[in-house]
């Protein structure tokens, strides 16, 4: 790597931070869905390594596709466009939040589909790709009659996990490791060292979520432990740390970002705590990303 490479390719540097911040999530996903089921005899140990192996394959194949696209399809582009593409990180995120846990064969087609569609919509509309694919996969699973994101860890459970402390660690239902609030918070701390990361957005979204949760609690609609269970088991923290703040689908104006994040938190809290609709946070982020031009119009004295 030549001197000044990371300075010239800022997006590549941002992607490195993002991937590094995802390591706790990926490692925990391997422990939860690979090691624990193997210890209980549900799967062989080697089979569980897919939760470490697949994200690496997705990342590498994404860059292979990027090289082909920018050097063969769009010959006027070069490797600089490859280095500054956010697609590889988005693909890993899409895998983590959408891939069926024990259906390895569908993972790579999803990754390829993400890359292809990204290229068609990238120059035409700003949209949060992770939220989009979460919604698409949800609809596909509904059509297929699959009602849950069952994985090998869930199969080993004798009863549904409801203890907030265990849900905080990530030992509930859900995708690979995205329901681990602890891992998401560790990732957030890592991202704090990235000056391009919009670190205020998760905090503002959580504030909006907390306001609605408190109102629901004081009017007697939901109990305190139910609020904790819904917060930790919905993957909301993962969504606001990684998906909400994707740089290509958020308002440019600071005031707009504040309103955007607050809006996401408010509506997500209603969908999660009132309707138990955990997929709702991704739908709200998707809708919010479509409204980015509207949020960009809110430029007041605190805006930049």
């Amino acid at each position: 790597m030549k001197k000044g490479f990371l300075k010239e390719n800022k997006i590549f540097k941002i992607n490195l931070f993002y991937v590094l911040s995802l390591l706790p999530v990926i490692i925990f996903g391997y422990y939860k869905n690979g090691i624990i089921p193997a210890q209980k005899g549900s799967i062989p140990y080697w089979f569980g390594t897919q939760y470490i192996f697949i994200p690496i394959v997705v990342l590498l194949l994404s860059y292979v596709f990027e090289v082909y696209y920018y050097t063969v399809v769009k010959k006027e582009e070069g490797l600089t466009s490859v280095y500054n593409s956010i697609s590889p990180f988005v693909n890993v995120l899409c895998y983590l939040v959408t891939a069926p846990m024990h259906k390895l064969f569908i993972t790579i087609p999803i990754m390829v589909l993400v890359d292809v569609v990204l290229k068609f919509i990238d120059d035409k509309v700003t949209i949060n790709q992770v939220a989009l694919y979460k919604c698409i996969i949800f609809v596909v699973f509904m059509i297929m009659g699959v009602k849950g994101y069952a994985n090998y860890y869930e199969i080993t459970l004798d009863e549904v996990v409801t203890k907030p402390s265990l849900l905080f660690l990530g030992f509930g239902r859900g995708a690979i490791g995205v329901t681990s609030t602890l891992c998401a918070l560790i990732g957030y701390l890592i991202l704090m060292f990235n000056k391009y990361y919009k670190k205020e957005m998760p905090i503002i979204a959580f504030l909006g979520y907390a306001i609605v949760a408190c109102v629901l609690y004081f009017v007697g609609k939901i109990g305190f432990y139910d609020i904790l269970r819904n917060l930790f088991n919905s993957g909301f923290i993962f969504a606001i740390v990684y998906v909400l703040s994707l740089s290509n689908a958020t308002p440019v104006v600071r005031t707009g970002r504040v309103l955007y994040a607050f809006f996401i938190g408010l509506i997500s809290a209603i969908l999660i705590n009132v309707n138990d609709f955990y997929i709702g946070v991704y739908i709200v982020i998707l809708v919010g990303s479509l409204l980015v031009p509207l949020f960009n119009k809110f430029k007041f004295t605190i805006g930049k």
Side-chain angles (χ1 to χ4, degrees):
M1 184 178 296
K2 68 178 182 179
K3 185 177 180 180
F5 174 83
L6 293 179
K7 187 175 182 179
E8 294 177 4
N9 301 280
K10 294 179 180 179
I11 302 300
F12 187 78
K13 183 178 180 179
I14 293 174
N15 283 347
L16 288 179
F17 266 101
Y18 271 124
V19 172
L20 179 63
S21 70
L22 280 174
L23 287 181
V25 175
I26 294 173
I27 292 172
F28 174 76
Y30 167 57
Y31 173 72
K32 172 184 173 181
N33 302 292
I35 294 180
I36 293 180
Q39 289 176 336
K40 295 185 177 182
S42 298
I43 60 173
Y45 277 96
W46 64 265
F47 189 80
T49 59
Q50 64 177 297
Y51 299 106
I52 293 286
F53 178 70
I54 295 178
I56 297 174
V57 172
V58 169
L59 189 65
L60 294 178
L61 286 182
S62 295
Y63 274 111
V64 169
F65 183 86
E66 295 298 296
V67 171
Y68 170 78
Y69 179 78
Y70 285 114
T71 61
V72 178
V73 179
K74 298 186 70 173
K75 295 181 181 180
E76 68 275 12
E77 304 284 348
L79 290 180
T80 300
S81 297
V82 175
Y83 299 140
N84 289 305
S85 172
I86 198 173
S87 295
F89 168 71
V90 171
N91 290 340
V92 174
L93 265 184
C94 286
Y95 163 71
L96 290 175
V97 301
T98 64
M101 301 313 103
H102 58 288
K103 295 182 178 179
L104 180 62
F105 65 88
I106 202 172
T107 301
I108 301 303
I110 287 178
M111 186 274 294
V112 173
L113 180 63
V114 169
D115 250 347
V116 171
V117 174
L118 274 176
K119 295 301 178 290
F120 281 102
I121 70 175
D122 193 40
D123 296 328
K124 297 178 177 62
V125 61
T126 299
I127 193 170
N128 193 305
Q129 294 90 356
V130 180
L132 172 63
Y133 278 90
K134 180 71 172 181
C135 297
I136 290 176
I137 296 301
F138 178 75
V139 172
V140 170
F141 280 7
M142 289 290 289
I143 294 174
M144 293 171 59
V146 180
K147 297 182 178 180
Y149 289 86
N151 52 49
Y152 285 107
Y153 169 75
E154 293 174 18
I155 294 173
T156 65
L157 295 176
D158 296 324
E159 58 185 12
V160 178
V161 177
T162 58
K163 192 175 180 179
S165 59
L166 291 177
L167 295 177
F168 174 79
L169 295 175
F171 292 103
R173 298 187 63 190
I176 297 176
V178 302
T179 53
S180 173
T181 300
L182 176 61
C183 289
L185 291 177
I186 293 174
Y188 179 71
L189 292 177
I190 294 174
L191 289 171
M192 291 285 283
F193 291 95
N194 178 7
K195 66 179 181 179
Y196 300 105
Y197 177 67
K198 299 171 183 176
K199 52 186 71 68
E200 75 281 2
M201 294 187 68
I203 296 175
I204 295 169
F206 180 78
L207 178 62
Y209 184 98
I211 290 174
V212 172
C214 288
V215 171
L216 292 174
Y217 172 76
F218 284 113
V219 299
K221 292 293 185 180
I222 191 171
F224 178 71
Y225 284 103
D226 291 326
I227 292 176
L228 292 181
R229 280 193 286 268
N230 289 336
L231 175 64
F232 298 149
N233 202 37
S234 63
F236 174 75
I237 300 299
F238 180 91
I240 62 176
V241 169
Y242 294 102
V243 183
L244 172 67
S245 56
L246 277 178
S247 58
N248 65 331
T250 55
V252 176
V253 179
R254 183 182 177 186
T255 311
R257 290 201 301 269
V258 171
L259 294 174
Y260 170 76
F262 193 71
F263 166 79
I264 299 297
L266 284 175
I267 305 301
S268 296
I270 295 173
L271 293 175
I272 291 173
N273 291 291
V274 177
N275 299 317
D276 292 326
F277 190 49
Y278 293 171
I279 185 70
V281 60
Y282 292 96
I283 294 178
V284 174
I285 292 175
L286 176 61
V287 173
S289 67
L290 292 172
L291 298 177
V292 162
L294 177 62
F295 284 107
N296 276 329
K297 294 181 179 181
F298 291 94
K299 187 175 182 180
F300 303 128
T301 55
I302 63 172
K304 291 184 178 180

